[in-house]
Amino acid sequence: MVVTYHRPTRAIIHRKALRENIKNEIDRLPEGFELFAVVKADGYGHGAIATAQMALSVGATGFCVATLDEAIELREAGITEPILVLSVVFPSYLSLVVDYDLSITVATKEWLIESQEVLKDLEETTAPIKIHIKADTGMGRIGFLTPEEVKEAAEIIEASPNMIWEGLFTHFATADEKDTSYWHKQAERFNEVIAALDHLPRYVHSSNSATALWHDQEMPGNMIRYGVGMYGLNPSGHELPETYPLKPAMELVSELIQVKELASGEGVGYGKTYDTPKKEWIGTIPIGYADGWLRKMQGFSLLVDGEFCEIVGRVCMDQLMIRLPRDFKVGTKVTLIGKNNGQEITMQDVADHLGTIHYEVCCMLSERVPRIYQ
Ligand code: PLP
């Protein structure tokens, strides 16, 4: 998909906000902890390379991504710090892991056995691959289930000349909830894993943003994987108050490209789902579901000159229409997410309208929308 610069729709990414979020988090980390910035899914839609560089400039010491290709993108952009791929990389791709000097996750013994075979066959293996063992303490996703399995995996890695045991980690399922009982159960299980090992690798990590924000005094490990918090979004949505003010890094803006006064009883949009009940000013904005602004956003209100204006009629692929309180000039700024003349629409407001979480909203914004860094 081509990035569409020649129209007024833009996601503005505020460097200062993103840097401050990371810096604030680093400043309050317990002694000995490091912060790896989670920039998977193109930095949660904020741009992986740009946000990684911002994170680096304020003290992040490594990065987490979800896929091998995301890791390669960062390396090719010149990032030299550790990059951990959080999900499983098939053994058949290990030559890339070696070539790009990446850290990867192991979640099963079978993967280790298969990988040893692959690594033996790699002709030009110059450096051993760095492995983080994933313990599944209650997420039910990937990872070893028992301390014994983790111990065995560590022994296999340490006995292998082509592998280095670099990390041990787990992931919490409910760190963003008021009820902390399941969080504590997982923490206890992870502490049992740690206790079963004779020694620990360089990195031990358990914390996503929610754990770092609300369990900072009890989180196991020496590194945090800080994701949504760095983008200025409260991981819990509405459930828990922010530990310190998180500053939303993304704004989504556009402009009115046409303004017209429709007579009473005129239809708006595909399917004519909206009829003007009286004479009304209707504005058109160049953003639609191909930009990730879904059809379900019909009925949501956008900001024009500090006034909330409802999206009327169906959202089209590339455009949508709003009901204006009066005539506005073509070129007037429209805010879809962010502040506008004393009012604000948050990513959470959009998520609430869609019945989802803000993580999904920022990830959904398509590549067609240019990311502009300010
Ligand atoms: N660690 C793992 C394993 C993840 O899957 C994620 C995100 O989904 C994170 C860390 C970062 O989580 P958050 O964005 O909530 O900080």
Side-chain angles (χ1 to χ4, degrees):
M1 191 178 265
V2 69
V3 183
T4 296
Y5 289 103
H6 299 97
R7 74 175 178 171
T9 302
R10 287 167 173 23
I12 298 169
I13 315 297
H14 295 278
R15 295 175 193 274
K16 189 162 176 280
L18 196 132
R19 287 199 192 112
E20 272 183 38
N21 293 327
I22 298 173
K23 193 150 183 336
N24 285 339
E25 184 52 37
I26 290 177
D27 287 348
R28 62 190 286 283
L29 280 176
E31 184 70 29
F33 269 77
E34 295 178 48
L35 182 147
F36 275 28
V38 182
V39 296
K40 63 195 171 105
D42 201 26
Y44 295 37
H46 295 65
I49 297 170
T51 56
Q53 282 161 347
M54 291 174 218
L56 206 52
S57 73
V58 288
T61 53
F63 299 94
C64 296
V65 293
T67 69
L68 184 53
D69 299 84
E70 290 175 350
I72 291 171
E73 182 192 28
L74 292 185
R75 272 285 177 266
E76 291 201 331
I79 302 273
T80 55
E81 284 66 25
I83 301 172
L84 170 62
V85 182
L86 294 168
S87 46
V88 176
V89 173
F90 287 172
S92 51
Y93 300 132
L94 282 179
S95 62
L96 286 168
V97 173
V98 174
D99 289 350
Y100 285 94
D101 186 23
L102 304 171
S103 303
I104 53 171
T105 296
V106 57
T108 63
K109 184 175 168 184
E110 293 69 36
W111 184 95
L112 278 175
I113 308 295
E114 202 184 322
S115 293
Q116 281 181 324
E117 291 310 308
V118 172
L119 289 169
K120 267 187 224 153
D121 292 345
L122 285 185
E123 275 172 25
E124 290 172 37
T125 304
T126 48
I129 57 165
K130 296 173 209 150
I131 297 184
H132 290 228
I133 298 179
K134 180 77 181 280
D136 181 359
T137 56
M139 178 75 180
R141 194 165 62 178
I142 57 169
F144 296 92
L145 285 169
T146 65
E148 295 70 36
E149 285 174 7
V150 170
K151 197 166 194 293
E152 189 187 8
E155 283 162 6
I156 296 173
I157 295 167
E158 294 209 305
S160 167
N162 296 321
M163 294 176 174
I164 290 180
W165 183 29
E166 187 185 58
L168 169 69
F169 74 114
T170 195
H171 189 52
F172 288 104
T174 61
D176 55 352
E177 292 179 10
K178 270 195 197 118
D179 180 347
T180 60
S181 50
Y182 196 68
W183 186 92
H184 280 104
K185 184 175 172 178
Q186 281 196 260
E188 202 178 304
R189 284 185 174 166
F190 192 51
N191 283 325
E192 280 164 18
V193 169
I194 292 173
L197 298 163
D198 311 329
H199 60 280
L200 292 171
R202 163 79 178 79
Y203 297 106
V204 177
H205 45 112
S206 62
S207 310
N208 54 1
S209 301
T211 295
L213 290 171
W214 294 298
H215 297 277
D216 50 312
Q217 295 310 309
E218 48 190 354
M219 55 189 180
N222 58 16
M223 178 265 266
I224 68 165
R225 307 182 302 270
Y226 201 56
V228 82
M230 75 183 246
Y231 307 104
L233 302 169
N234 178 336
S236 78
H238 299 288
E239 188 154 342
L240 296 169
E242 288 172 5
T243 310
Y244 54 89
L246 295 167
K247 303 197 170 136
M250 185 191 285
E251 241 188 299
L252 182 61
V253 296
S254 190
E255 289 176 9
L256 293 169
I257 52 163
Q258 184 165 1
V259 176
K260 57 168 78 88
E261 191 176 36
L262 291 184
S264 174
E266 289 295 324
V268 178
Y270 287 117
K272 198 165 121 15
T273 59
Y274 182 76
D275 285 313
T276 50
K278 54 181 171 43
K279 238 165 82 168
E280 274 180 353
W281 287 101
I282 299 292
T284 304
I285 302 155
I287 185 167
Y289 60 79
D291 299 291
W293 194 263
L294 303 186
R295 289 172 95 230
K296 276 198 179 153
M297 292 311 293
Q298 183 171 350
F300 188 76
S301 293
L302 309 182
L303 282 167
V304 181
D305 199 20
E307 295 194 56
F308 285 98
C309 305
E310 186 182 332
I311 299 174
V312 289
R314 288 188 182 141
V315 173
C316 312
M317 187 184 289
D318 320 300
Q319 300 172 86
L320 59 80
M321 285 69 81
I322 56 175
R323 185 179 52 236
L324 296 167
R326 57 184 177 280
D327 189 10
F328 278 97
K329 278 204 175 76
V330 164
T332 302
K333 178 179 170 182
V334 178
T335 299
L336 296 98
I337 297 172
K339 292 190 176 138
N340 182 311
N341 223 353
Q343 297 289 350
E344 185 174 13
I345 299 170
T346 64
M347 195 84 77
Q348 184 63 44
D349 294 332
V350 179
D352 289 343
H353 182 87
L354 292 172
T356 184
I357 53 172
H358 50 53
Y359 288 76
E360 200 172 24
V361 177
C362 52
C363 287
M364 231 159 43
L365 202 63
S366 83
E367 204 185 323
R368 189 161 82 175
V369 179
R371 273 60 169 178
I372 307 294
Y373 298 93
Q374 283 187 357

